[in-house]
Amino acid sequence: MRSDSAGSEAANRSWWDSDVEAYHAEHAEFLGVDAADGGFVWCPEGLDEADAELLGPVGPGTVAVEIGCGSAPCARWLAARGATVVGIDISAGMLRRGLSHVREGNPLLAQAGGENLPIADGCADIVCSAFGAIPFVADSARVMTEAHRVLRPGGRFVFAVTHPMRWIFLDDPGPDGLVATLSYFDRSPYVETDDDGVPTYVEHHRTMGDRVREIVGAGLRLVDVIEPEWPEGFTQEWGQWSPLRGAILPGTAIFVCEKPV
């Protein structure tokens, strides 16, 4: 069963193309997909870039690249603040969903994978991925190397992923999801298949240590790791994310990195 880069990309492209309507029916409002200026929400806990400012200053003259932009609410949010933005996603269906909101060609939306960014060396001030790509990529170390390549010295790379601790639990927002069932150290990909055994969804696990080693190995400097706490009074569930689980263990890890000057 292929879980290499090409196999993962093919399966996940098909998954997201087929899931566009259902995904947006459930999540579009939360993400700001249809808002005039989009929205930049980092994770199911609702951490907003407008408050967190993990990317640093954004304005006219800023060049930003978003990996796994989906229907581009984050890319549009950056563009509304004056940045020149390229949003990249493997799913044409997701990109089409956001295209009607794009103003004057900014952001530019491109179909591509995170392991091979169609971006020139050293041209970006910001590279970001708000929960949209890294877990679905077989060679996440390659994504770190690509981010380093396209960033200018002093540029910032910020990405959010499912917290590695979640790998040991079932995807259940209730009490059954609080029982550890898998090894944290088992890096075998999670694969779903159709009736013919063809992979239709692939997700890859890396430990916290793996993430740090990939970041440092790419030549980036790790500035911070954010583990958003579940907001008080926040009741919205998103898959395995829920108030019950959020009160006990982190659901998201956000890595803030910089390219050394």
Side-chain angles (χ1 to χ4, degrees):
M1 187 178 300
R2 295 179 63 190
S3 58
D4 59 2
S5 294
S8 292
E9 186 168 313
N12 289 322
R13 179 186 297 111
S14 175
W15 173 273
W16 289 110
D17 280 347
S18 66
D19 197 47
V20 172
E21 185 175 342
Y23 179 85
H24 285 87
E26 186 172 359
H27 302 303
E29 183 177 358
F30 179 75
L31 297 173
V33 171
D34 297 315
D37 292 334
F40 203 125
V41 180
W42 279 107
C43 52
E45 292 88 351
L47 184 66
D48 198 306
E49 174 60 17
D51 301 318
E53 298 183 336
L54 302 181
L55 299 176
V58 178
T62 302
V63 177
V65 177
E66 183 184 7
I67 303 172
C69 68
S71 52
C74 298
R76 289 171 42 234
W77 185 91
L78 292 167
R81 278 143 188 80
T84 300
V85 187
V86 179
I88 293 167
D89 201 276
I90 61 170
S91 168
M94 295 292 283
L95 293 171
R96 278 194 296 269
R97 179 60 173 79
L99 193 59
S100 62
H101 294 301
V102 172
R103 302 171 182 171
E104 300 178 355
N106 188 28
L108 174 67
L109 302 183
Q111 186 178 14
E115 292 160 294
N116 296 285
L117 299 177
I119 306 293
D121 295 358
C123 69
D125 302 291
I126 293 169
V127 178
C128 58
S129 183
F131 234 81
I134 309 299
F136 303 104
V137 172
D139 189 356
S140 51
R142 170 75 179 177
V143 181
M144 309 299 147
T145 302
E146 282 288 271
H148 180 278
R149 178 183 66 80
V150 304
L151 279 172
R152 295 172 178 149
R156 182 161 283 204
F157 175 39
V158 185
F159 66 94
V161 296
T162 303
H163 198 288
M165 280 295 296
R166 289 293 179 100
W167 189 256
I168 69 178
F169 301 100
L170 298 175
D171 281 357
D172 187 322
D176 289 345
L178 298 177
V179 179
T181 60
L182 299 172
S183 169
Y184 176 76
F185 302 104
D186 184 355
R187 296 166 178 84
S188 303
Y190 170 78
V191 182
E192 294 182 7
T193 63
D194 62 18
D195 292 340
D196 296 320
V198 177
T200 57
Y201 179 98
V202 183
E203 190 168 344
H204 299 271
H205 169 58
R206 300 291 181 268
T207 67
M208 290 293 284
D210 292 338
R211 295 292 183 207
V212 172
R213 283 186 288 275
E214 290 180 351
I215 290 165
V216 175
L220 296 161
R221 183 172 69 91
L222 182 61
V223 176
D224 199 359
V225 179
I226 313 297
E227 297 168 296
E229 296 187 31
W230 193 266
E232 184 177 354
F234 186 55
T235 60
Q236 180 169 323
E237 293 186 359
W238 180 320
Q240 58 172 295
W241 284 263
S242 67
L244 175 66
R245 286 164 63 107
I248 298 172
L249 69 154
T252 301
I254 305 173
F255 295 83
V256 182
C257 318
E258 288 182 349
K259 181 174 180 175
V261 177

